[in-house]
Amino acid sequence: MEGTDAGEHQILDRYAPDTGLARVIRIPVRIVVLVVVLPVRMVRDLLAACWHALDRTLLRPSGRGRPGCSGT
């Protein structure tokens, strides 16, 4: 099979940047996600895990857990 001619159908990579503008916008967005959003989500998940552990180990056995939750 020889090289492709200009008239043949070529498969386009849908994730490849089409223009320089798309590349200029996409790179800062990725940086913001990595620097801001990811650490905030990790801290939120860590705090939620700590709260659930505290609720399971200290608050529910003492009867001060979430309202309406009985241990039975």
Side-chain angles (χ1 to χ4, degrees):
M1 185 170 166
E2 296 180 20
T4 59
D5 293 333
E8 291 183 19
H9 178 69
Q10 295 179 358
I11 298 174
L12 297 175
D13 184 9
R14 158 180 160 180
Y15 297 105
D18 298 333
T19 64
L21 180 62
R23 187 176 297 131
V24 167
I25 292 172
R26 191 171 290 155
I27 290 173
V29 168
R30 287 181 180 176
I31 291 171
V32 167
V33 167
L34 285 175
V35 171
V36 176
V37 176
L38 186 63
V40 169
R41 290 278 314 261
M42 290 177 67
V43 168
R44 186 193 72 174
D45 290 344
L46 181 65
L47 288 174
C50 289
W51 174 254
H52 288 294
L54 178 73
D55 184 44
R56 275 193 316 267
T57 57
L58 297 177
L59 297 179
R60 273 194 209 160
S62 65
R64 290 180 290 187
R66 292 179 284 167
C69 291
S70 61
T72 60

